[in-house]
Amino acid sequence: MNAPGSLETLRRRNRGLVLRAVQSGNATSRVDIVRATGLSRTTVSSLVNELLAEGVLSESTDRGGVPPAGQTGRPPTRLTLEPSGGAVLGIHLRHDGIRLALADLAGTVLAETLVDLDVDHRADAALSFVEDATSELLDHAGTARAELLGAGVAISSPVPTLPHHGPDMLETWHDIDVADAVGQRLGVPVQVGNDANLGATAERFFGAARTTRNLVYVMLAEGVGAGLFLDGRPYFGAKGVAGEFGHVVVAPGGRVCRCGNRGCLETVAGAGALVSAMPVRPGGQAAELDDVLAACRAGDPGALRLVTDAGRAVGTALAGVCTMLDPDLVVIGGRTAAAGTALLDGIGETLRRGVPPTDEALVPVVAGELGARAEVLGAVALAIAGAPLSAAHDGLEAIDPAPRYRRMSTT
């Protein structure tokens, strides 16, 4: 046995630090690992080479070998857990639908499905769909049930760090522990995170913000939310509920929001607000968000004005956030981001007027690269971070990392 403080114990501890940094998603390169662990470059290089040789980690060229803008030299590489070590499931419980993605431990999606469902009011149906669809995805990917190591769930609700009942914004879920309910049906550990936070995670590690350390991600869909990365790390606030962007008041005295306040951003830029302002379709059928987006892309003047005005409201709310946080980048994601230029132009217009003048250029505002899939891909990343690994990954048991997200609890 190795005595505490022995060289072997130290090696195992350092090995665990390296593995945990990669597993958590906070480190995708050797430089990231040095920054995340505080270990020396020599130690990190030695341990990474050892883990690569053992087949515990995998290394691949990042983004097809194209260096980030402004960088030259060798193409960047990305470190991940060895993909063949198992599979995880990402679940996005939207207000009006469910998206599932089965992925390997490198985050590569193996199979995916989407269904329209009134998740807010049909909790039992939503949970049953998750259970049935998981079996179908595993069969489609040729993955054994025993290879499924864990699941991550993105929900349209705050996920506070304090003991809490079910999601506040999903109407029939108040007494449901999401992690426990999904875990019982799937038989694996389940982690739960806010969908906007997980969308930010996905764009930060897989999408438009890969070289960004200070990020504001805005999710525009049925609800409106935001996710933050500050100095390269996710920021959740003192109680874990930072980023409730949709409930910033932008129209005092405006429409009543589902949260009880008036004039929240969601009442102006949420899918419900956009849809309710569109004319009824031929045949008397009510418009849907996809109709609004299609009309906007087709150049319909009414849809363009509607989306531009929504963007202006988002820009007004963003001005305060950007003034306070000074981010490197703002990424606009969620289903509504597919509206394109009209939305981004509206955001930029009021953002430019709302931030104080400086010598620096205005913070860039770009559309996300992952579209409506960002949140489920963030749930995949969350599942990888929380997946129990095999005994071959020695050193992990000695590490007690601060959780990036908490399980929702009713106690």
Side-chain angles (χ1 to χ4, degrees):
M1 295 185 64
N2 298 309
S6 70
L7 290 178
E8 178 60 20
T9 298
L10 180 62
R11 187 197 71 82
R12 285 172 56 81
R13 176 186 178 278
N14 290 344
R15 179 183 167 104
L17 286 171
V18 170
L19 276 170
R20 185 65 73 186
V22 174
Q23 184 186 12
S24 70
N26 289 328
T28 59
S29 70
R30 289 166 175 80
V31 173
D32 290 337
I33 295 172
V34 170
R35 185 184 296 118
T37 63
L39 299 174
S40 71
R41 289 175 179 267
T42 301
T43 298
V44 167
S45 180
S46 174
L47 289 171
V48 166
N49 289 338
E50 176 184 305
L51 292 165
L52 288 170
E54 293 176 9
V56 177
L57 292 184
S58 178
E59 188 172 34
S60 60
T61 302
D62 196 11
R63 281 202 166 196
V66 179
Q71 294 188 17
T72 57
R74 295 175 58 189
T77 58
R78 180 170 181 258
L79 292 167
T80 65
L81 298 179
E82 168 54 40
S84 62
V88 295
L89 183 71
I91 305 165
H92 183 196
L93 298 178
R94 299 177 351 197
H95 291 291
D96 65 348
I98 303 174
R99 187 186 293 269
L100 278 76
L102 181 72
D104 63 25
L105 293 185
T108 301
V109 174
L110 307 174
E112 190 171 357
T113 189
L114 171 68
V115 66
D116 292 330
L117 182 70
D118 184 3
V119 174
D120 284 12
H121 300 94
R122 301 185 61 193
D124 288 341
L127 292 169
S128 294
F129 173 79
V130 167
E131 183 177 11
D132 295 341
T134 298
S135 296
E136 294 175 6
L137 291 177
L138 289 168
D139 290 343
H140 180 78
T143 302
R145 170 70 69 162
E147 294 180 77
L148 185 64
L149 301 181
V153 184
I155 62 172
S156 300
S157 176
V159 181
T161 57
L162 300 176
H164 183 64
H165 288 269
D168 289 332
M169 296 298 178
L170 300 180
E171 297 186 14
T172 60
W173 296 73
H174 295 302
D175 296 322
I176 296 176
D177 181 327
V178 178
D180 184 64
V182 175
Q184 285 189 23
R185 289 175 180 257
L186 301 185
V188 295
V190 177
Q191 312 295 320
V192 178
N194 171 263
D195 54 2
N197 288 337
L198 293 176
T201 296
E203 290 289 355
R204 171 69 174 81
F205 294 114
F206 307 130
R210 295 189 70 143
T211 60
T212 303
R213 294 188 61 78
N214 297 285
L215 166 69
V216 175
Y217 172 81
V218 177
M219 186 193 74
L220 300 174
E222 292 72 25
V224 176
L228 304 172
F229 271 77
L230 302 179
D231 196 25
R233 302 185 68 83
Y235 178 77
F236 308 120
K239 297 184 292 298
V241 295
E244 282 303 295
F245 190 58
H247 300 287
V248 173
V249 175
V250 295
R255 292 174 55 189
V256 175
C257 179
R258 59 197 173 97
C259 74
N261 287 334
R262 283 187 177 273
C264 292
L265 178 60
E266 190 172 299
T267 68
V268 179
L274 299 179
V275 168
S276 65
M278 282 292 288
V280 174
R281 290 187 291 178
Q285 193 173 8
E288 297 179 354
L289 180 59
D290 287 342
D291 300 315
V292 178
L293 302 179
C296 187
R297 292 192 295 269
D300 178 81
L304 287 170
R305 177 57 186 270
L306 182 62
V307 169
T308 300
D309 286 349
R312 289 170 179 150
V314 173
T316 297
L318 268 175
V321 175
C322 291
T323 299
M324 290 291 293
L325 299 181
D326 186 28
D328 302 312
L329 183 69
V330 173
V331 175
I332 307 300
R335 293 175 63 200
T336 307
T341 303
L343 178 68
L344 296 180
D345 287 349
I347 293 171
E349 177 186 327
T350 50
L351 181 58
R352 281 191 297 273
R353 294 201 305 261
V355 297
T358 66
D359 294 333
E360 302 296 330
L362 182 71
V363 56
V365 179
V366 301
E369 292 183 0
L370 305 177
R373 299 174 70 234
E375 287 68 37
V376 78
L377 294 177
V380 165
L382 179 60
I384 293 172
L389 301 181
S390 70
H393 303 81
D394 68 319
L396 283 176
E397 71 278 1
I399 309 302
D400 183 20
R404 295 168 62 211
Y405 302 85
R406 286 179 63 95
R407 291 171 60 95
M408 300 195 71
S409 173
T410 57
T411 59

